[in-house]
C-alpha cells in the first residue's frame, strides 16, 4: 500500500507540474497594431504627352490642366506632390505596384476600371470625338467603314469604339499608338483616315490647326473623368474628394479650367 501510495503521489505531482508549465507558457497578449504613417506626399502617375491635361512645355517642364488641379489639391491637403510619367497602358500595374499613388490625367471612370481602381467623384465630363482631315469625305460614323482608324493604346477611346461593335467591325483596321499626338501626326500624313480621341485633347489640337483637322458631329459617347487610387487607399480617396469639393465650391477649379479651355468645364 505504501508503495502504491508513493507511486500515486509521484503521478499526481507530475500532472500538476505539467499543468503549471502549460499555464506559464500561455502566449502574451498581442501588441496593438501600429497606426499607419500619416500621408506627407503623393506620387501622381500620368501620360506626359496628353495636352492639355498633362504634357511637357518648351522648357521640358510638366504643365497642364490636371497638373494644376493636382497641385492645388495637394496644397490644400498640405501634401508634397510628385509627377511621374508612366506607360499609360500599364497604369493599373503602376498603381497596384505602389510605384504611383494616384492616376490623375484625364482618367475615364468605367465599370471595368472600378474592379481594380477606386475613383474620386467625377470632376469633369468628356466625349470621345472623331477627328478627320479637314478635306475628308468622312462625315459620320457610318463613313468609317473600310477606313483605318487610330486611337491611343489602353485608352477609353478603344473601349468606346469596341462598345459599338457594328461600327468597329466595319473598320479596315484599328491602329493603336502610345500617345494621341503620334496618332494625330499619322492622321496629318495620311497614314490614318480618322482618330478617336478625348475631346479635351482633340479640340486642343484642332484649335491650333483648324485648317488641317475637322471634328465630326457624331462621337463615341460621353464619359466622366475622376482621380484613381488603390482600392484600399480610402484615406487618400477621401482627402482628394474633400479637396476637389472645396475647389469646386470656391471657384478655384473653374479658374483653372478657364485658363486651359477658355470656359468652365468642371462637373
Amino acid at each position: 500500500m505504501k508503495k502504491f501510495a508513493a507511486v500515486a503521489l509521484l503521478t499526481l505531482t507530475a500532472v500538476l507540474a505539467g499543468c503549471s508549465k502549460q499555464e506559464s507558457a500561455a502566449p502574451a497578449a498581442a501588441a496593438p497594431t501600429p497606426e499607419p504613417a500619416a500621408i506627407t506626399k503623393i506620387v501622381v502617375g500620368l501620360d506626359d504627352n496628353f495636352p492639355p491635361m498633362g504634357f511637357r512645355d518648351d522648357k521640358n517642364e510638366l504643365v497642364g490642366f490636371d497638373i494644376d488641379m493636382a497641385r492645388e489639391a495637394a496644397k490644400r491637403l498640405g501634401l508634397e506632390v510628385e509627377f511621374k510619367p508612366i506607360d499609360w497602358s500599364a497604369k493599373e500595374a503602376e498603381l497596384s505596384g505602389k510605384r504611383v499613388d494616384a492616376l490623375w490625367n484625364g482618367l475615364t471612370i468605367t465599370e471595368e476600371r472600378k474592379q481594380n481602381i477606386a475613383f474620386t467623384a467625377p470632376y469633369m465630363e468628356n466625349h470621345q470625338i472623331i477627328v478627320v482631315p479637314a478635306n475628308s469625305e468622312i462625315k459620320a460614323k457610318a463613313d468609317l467603314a473600310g477606313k483605318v482608324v487610330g486611337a491611343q493604346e489602353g485608352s477609353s477611346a478603344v473601349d468606346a469604339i469596341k462598345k459599338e461593335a457594328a461600327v468597329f467591325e466595319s473598320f479596315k483596321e484599328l491602329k493603336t499608338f502610345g500617345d494621341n499626338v503620334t496618332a494625330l501626326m499619322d492622321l496629318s500624313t495620311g497614314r490614318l483616315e480618322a482618330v478617336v480621341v478625348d475631346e479635351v485633347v482633340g479640340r486642343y489640337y484642332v484649335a491650333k490647326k483648324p485648317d488641317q483637322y475637322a471634328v465630326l458631329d457624331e462621337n463615341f459617347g460621353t464619359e466622366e473623368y475622376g482621380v484613381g487610387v488603390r482600392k484600399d487607399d480610402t484615406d487618400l480617396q477621401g482627402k482628394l474628394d474633400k479637396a476637389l469639393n472645396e475647389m469646386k465650391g470656391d471657384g478655384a477649379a473653374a479658374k483653372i479650367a478657364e485658363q486651359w479651355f477658355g470656359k468652365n468645364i468642371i462637373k
Side-chain angles (χ1 to χ4, degrees):
M1 287 296 291
K2 286 182 180 179
K3 187 174 181 181
F4 176 78
V7 171
L9 181 61
L10 286 171
T11 302
L12 178 60
T13 303
V15 169
L16 291 173
C19 290
S20 176
K21 286 180 181 178
Q22 287 177 352
E23 288 172 3
S24 63
T33 304
E35 291 292 324
I39 301 172
T40 59
K41 174 183 175 180
I42 56 172
V43 180
V44 173
L46 75 152
D47 170 7
D48 64 350
N49 200 10
F50 188 42
M53 309 307 279
F55 63 105
R56 295 189 181 275
D57 64 11
D58 296 339
K59 297 178 182 177
N60 203 38
E61 295 179 352
L62 284 169
V63 296
F65 169 74
D66 275 336
I67 299 289
D68 288 349
M69 289 284 286
R71 283 187 174 134
E72 177 64 23
K75 183 175 74 173
R76 289 170 182 247
L77 295 171
L79 301 176
E80 179 187 352
V81 60
E82 175 189 339
F83 296 98
K84 183 177 181 180
I86 60 174
D87 177 354
W88 198 243
S89 64
K91 54 190 171 293
E92 291 186 18
E94 293 286 334
L95 185 64
S96 62
K98 297 189 176 181
R99 290 180 288 277
V100 299
D101 302 309
L103 300 171
W104 197 334
N105 196 210
L107 180 63
T108 302
I109 300 171
T110 67
E111 291 304 315
E112 183 179 359
R113 286 175 177 167
K114 283 181 180 179
Q115 302 302 310
N116 302 309
I117 299 174
F119 285 91
T120 62
Y123 63 91
M124 70 176 293
E125 198 170 73
N126 181 55
H127 302 87
Q128 289 298 334
I129 62 171
I130 305 164
V131 181
V132 297
N135 60 353
S136 175
E137 295 181 355
I138 299 171
K139 305 300 179 185
K141 283 189 282 189
D143 299 331
L144 295 173
K147 303 296 192 294
V148 181
V149 180
Q152 183 182 20
E153 182 182 3
S155 70
S156 55
V158 174
D159 297 334
I161 291 168
K162 290 182 177 179
K163 280 182 181 178
E164 298 193 29
V167 178
F168 169 55
E169 290 167 6
S170 76
F171 294 175
K172 178 180 180 181
E173 181 183 359
L174 174 63
K175 293 183 68 174
T176 56
F177 298 79
D179 57 74
N180 289 302
V181 176
T182 306
L184 289 166
M185 286 176 62
D186 271 24
L187 179 65
S188 64
T189 57
R191 287 190 286 271
L192 294 175
E193 293 162 280
V195 169
V196 180
V197 61
D198 292 84
E199 183 172 24
V200 291
V201 179
R203 292 199 181 279
Y204 176 80
Y205 277 101
V206 170
K208 284 178 171 290
K209 300 179 179 180
D211 58 333
Q212 189 169 325
Y213 300 121
V215 178
L216 302 191
D217 291 335
E218 290 186 323
N219 59 60
F220 278 95
T222 302
E223 57 195 27
E224 295 175 327
Y225 284 164
V227 183
V229 300
R230 284 181 287 279
K231 293 200 77 171
D232 60 355
D233 202 349
T234 53
D235 184 38
L236 180 58
Q237 182 187 21
K239 288 179 184 296
L240 291 174
D241 264 328
K242 180 177 180 292
L244 285 169
N245 283 334
E246 289 178 354
M247 290 163 63
K248 293 175 187 178
D250 63 22
K255 184 177 179 182
I256 294 171
E258 286 164 1
Q259 290 172 348
W260 284 101
F261 302 105
K263 62 178 181 178
N264 180 15
I265 53 146
I266 298 298
K267 181 177 174 62

